[in-house]
Amino acid sequence: MHWKEQYRPEEVADMLAQGVLLAVLDVRNEEEFRRWRLEGRTSPKMLNLPYFEALEDEEAFARRVEAELGRGPILVVCAKGGASDWVAQELLRPRGFQVANLAGGMEAWGSAYRSRLLPESASDTVRIWQLDRFARGCLHYVVASGQEALVIDPPRHLGPVLALIAQHDLKVQAILDTHAHADHVSGGPALAARTGAPYYLHPYDGIHPIDVLPAAIPFAYLQDGMRFSIGSATLEVLHIPGHTLGNTAFLVQAERRYLFTGDSLFIQSVARPDLGGRGETWAPLHYRSLRRLLNLPEDTIVLPGHYASAAREQRTDGLFAAPLGQLRRSNADLSLMEEESSFVRHLLAHLPEFPPQYVDIKRVNAGLLELDEEGLNELELGKNICALAGAYAS
Amino acid sequence: MKDFVIAQELDARGLQCPMPLVNAHRAIKQIPVGQVLKVLATDRGSVLDFKGWAETDESIELVKQEEYTDEQGRRVYAHYVRRVEG
């Protein structure tokens, strides 16, 4: 393939999905590298060699790169794209290496998105775009029929969703959050202000579960059975408490059926029930809600709010989607859903660590805490931990 | 902490990574062994990078790091690097 000198995060995400990126040189310090790094459907060979190790002996640095990764093509990565560009330009390219830089570094990677049209919807009366914040495994959606659109779970970076809406000349009718998110800052209220469309959330999620304080943001109330019409399609709200008390899923009926599961059912796992601090009380609700989703027809296409492992959950076309019937057979957690009490035990036995920043993220989403851009970036660093841990244990 | 003499101050404020460290690496060769180079940077990433440099390079020692807000309201990260051998 043609190898450029600079790649944008979206391009790198595509290369990882396609399996064509084979070698990565990460020149950040070890501590940052340990915290998080490039991740995708495929895993390139990765070497962490901090750029400052090159200062004393450039030759030795280049020899180590060659020994571990060969002479390229290699993508060089750092925190903001400066040191990696310097390593590529000053050190490696003059020595004959084929190298490219990740423009903007991990900072840009962390807030970049890839938008893909769901192929199953291409011949339908709805068009569904899945927007993937790949550094965090967060998914959000635009559902359009004719020129009318609904936006589901928008993140705080409104650029990609606004670009898509403008590109396809869509009119946003409503913005829906499946629940009050704990892992990322919602763009719902801001997108409502930008587009004039109302922002919807289930009222049970309008109360911060740890603080037990009401949200200080304006929102309209979702409720079970409520319907939204766009073009020739309808979206029905299913109240599925468990992950949160106001957790919802959205069933879109067009020529096919699409289920936006938010944080309930993922491709390879289910959502955890403990982020509100009441895992034992909420786990049985979660079981019953998942049962309700499983009663939907087998060919319903599930579109989740997250993934934890692109390697395990991403299709080769880059999308995260699967028919419900397939999930019944292949989803590791669902296979244990025979009976309520044993499933509840399974849920509670596989809770990952409780991310301390999640309490604050929910405060931000409820309008109870205001932070600057740097503070928000800090809260949202790394991968989401919204799923049970069991399905990903290797 | 031992007293130290600051032989030179390097103002790398406003410079992006990797320049604060690249310039510091050049400047430290110009000061006498035992003395200290003070580097001012506004790049927050420099805090961990100077630590990492000191762990990697036996010819220098990181004496201390501090941060403050300068007269222009910028967050400044000051690194004190001692040259320990020729």
Side-chain angles (χ1 to χ4, degrees), chain B residues 19-33:
Chain B
M19 292 329 287
L21 226 154
V22 169
N23 293 346
H25 182 260
R26 198 173 299 139
I28 196 96
K29 307 281 187 207
Q30 312 302 321
I31 66 167
V33 171

Side-chain angles (χ1 to χ4, degrees), chain A residues 66-319:
Chain A
E66 184 170 359
E68 302 262 357
L69 300 177
R71 299 178 63 81
I74 299 169
L75 182 75
V76 192
V77 176
C78 73
K80 293 178 184 168
S84 51
D85 201 34
W86 177 79
V87 166
Q89 296 266 25
E90 304 285 326
L91 257 83
L92 296 177
R93 204 166 290 130
R95 288 179 171 81
F97 285 76
Q98 198 179 12
V99 282
N101 182 41
L102 171 62
M106 291 303 282
E107 188 174 277
W109 176 261
S111 53
Y113 295 79
R114 181 68 175 83
S115 141
R116 301 178 179 94
L117 178 69
L118 180 72
E120 290 91 328
S121 74
S123 57
D124 203 335
T125 52
V126 286
R127 284 169 295 165
I128 296 171
W129 287 272
Q130 184 176 63
L131 290 95
D132 171 15
R133 185 178 181 186
F134 35 84
R136 295 195 49 73
C138 283
L139 302 168
H140 65 292
Y141 297 90
V142 174
V143 183
S145 182
Q147 299 316 118
E148 296 182 336
L150 299 168
V151 180
I152 298 173
D153 288 335
R156 71 188 165 94
H157 307 105
L158 300 180
V161 76
L162 288 172
L164 199 142
I165 287 163
Q167 188 191 340
H168 298 279
D169 195 23
L170 301 174
K171 172 88 180 109
V172 179
Q173 305 293 310
I175 297 142
L176 317 175
D177 256 338
T178 52
H179 63 293
H181 302 286
D183 66 285
H184 67 271
V185 174
S186 170
L191 187 59
R194 279 292 284 270
T195 59
Y199 166 60
Y200 284 89
L201 180 71
H202 193 284
Y204 288 176
D205 274 13
I207 294 174
H208 191 289
I210 308 287
D211 298 342
V212 198
L213 285 172
I217 47 156
F219 66 96
Y221 290 9
L222 289 177
Q223 56 174 305
D224 193 57
M226 195 171 176
R227 282 165 195 273
F228 292 82
S229 294
I230 47 158
S232 56
T234 58
L235 177 148
E236 182 187 350
V237 176
L238 310 177
H239 179 215
I240 49 157
H243 177 65
T244 65
L245 287 183
N247 205 27
T248 57
F250 305 130
L251 181 62
V252 168
Q253 182 75 55
E255 284 180 18
R256 291 166 179 264
R257 245 181 243 100
Y258 307 89
L259 181 65
F260 297 85
T261 54
D263 282 20
S264 55
L265 177 54
F266 304 125
I267 300 295
Q268 200 46 261
S269 65
V270 300
R272 56 195 292 182
D274 63 312
L275 290 175
R278 307 221 165 232
E280 290 187 17
T281 321
W282 293 8
L285 297 176
H286 194 26
Y287 172 83
R288 287 166 224 158
S289 292
L290 289 169
R291 269 260 157 267
R292 182 177 175 197
L293 298 182
L294 288 180
N295 284 335
L296 291 166
E298 290 243 317
D299 60 359
T300 307
I301 295 171
V302 170
L303 296 158
H306 285 299
Y307 56 93
S309 161
R312 307 272 295 268
E313 298 173 273
Q314 192 173 26
R315 306 196 311 205
T316 49
D317 65 4
L319 281 120

